Amino acid sequence: MVLSVSERTFTQEVLESPVPVLVNFEAPWCGLCRIIHPLLFQFQSQCGEQIKLVRVNADDNFKLSNTYRLKSLPTLLLIENGIVRHRLEGFRGRDDLRLALEEIKLSYTNRPKAYSSSKADLECQTV
């Protein structure tokens, strides 16, 4: 299950998170948003506790949509220590997203992580 985050909980759940957070900005009317859910769930299950997955309803959280200058939905942001490390937008379907998630995993697993525990040191498996 993916945690739904709002403007009220964004700082605590995302910006102050001890692990990187993949934020999925979506909307109920967005067809592509629904299509990519299975890939995001798979990504989350393969990465375990190394990367947290949350979703934000862009329509209901206008300030966040403006803050992160959303141009299209879905938009995915990998936020680590309050900083946007990766931005994924404008992908056309599952294959584009799969490649983008693979890029995130490769760059993430190749960097040292000061906050990791021995259990979380396991690398993400391939999507």
Side-chain angles (χ1 to χ4, degrees):
M1 183 170 162
V2 177
L3 177 65
S4 290
V5 176
S6 67
E7 291 165 356
R8 189 176 58 81
T9 59
F10 192 83
T11 298
Q12 178 184 355
E13 295 293 341
V14 177
L15 301 179
E16 296 174 351
S17 174
V19 297
V21 181
L22 184 61
V23 182
N24 177 21
F25 284 94
E26 60 183 15
W29 50 263
C30 173
L32 184 55
C33 297
R34 287 189 300 272
I35 290 171
I36 67 167
H37 279 176
L39 281 177
L40 293 175
F41 291 139
Q42 182 181 18
F43 176 79
Q44 181 185 30
S45 70
Q46 290 173 341
C47 290
E49 296 176 3
Q50 286 188 336
I51 297 177
K52 179 179 178 180
L53 177 63
V54 302
R55 68 183 187 197
V56 175
N57 182 323
D59 289 343
D60 293 343
N61 295 281
F62 191 69
K63 285 182 183 178
L64 288 175
S65 298
N66 278 338
T67 298
Y68 291 100
R69 300 174 190 232
L70 301 185
K71 296 176 186 167
S72 64
L73 293 178
T75 294
L76 302 172
L77 302 178
L78 181 70
I79 299 177
E80 182 179 19
N81 298 323
I83 300 168
V84 176
R85 301 288 184 191
H86 293 279
R87 182 182 190 100
L88 306 174
E89 60 187 347
F91 46 89
R92 292 186 174 91
R94 291 180 183 182
D95 290 337
D96 281 352
L97 177 59
R98 186 175 285 120
L99 292 172
L101 291 174
E102 186 63 31
E103 180 182 324
I104 284 176
K105 283 193 297 189
L106 288 174
S107 66
Y108 173 74
T109 58
N110 290 331
R111 286 191 341 218
K113 298 173 285 297
Y115 52 81
S116 293
S117 66
S118 59
K119 242 184 192 179
D121 284 337
L122 299 173
E123 290 186 357
C124 294
Q125 299 169 6
T126 304
V127 170

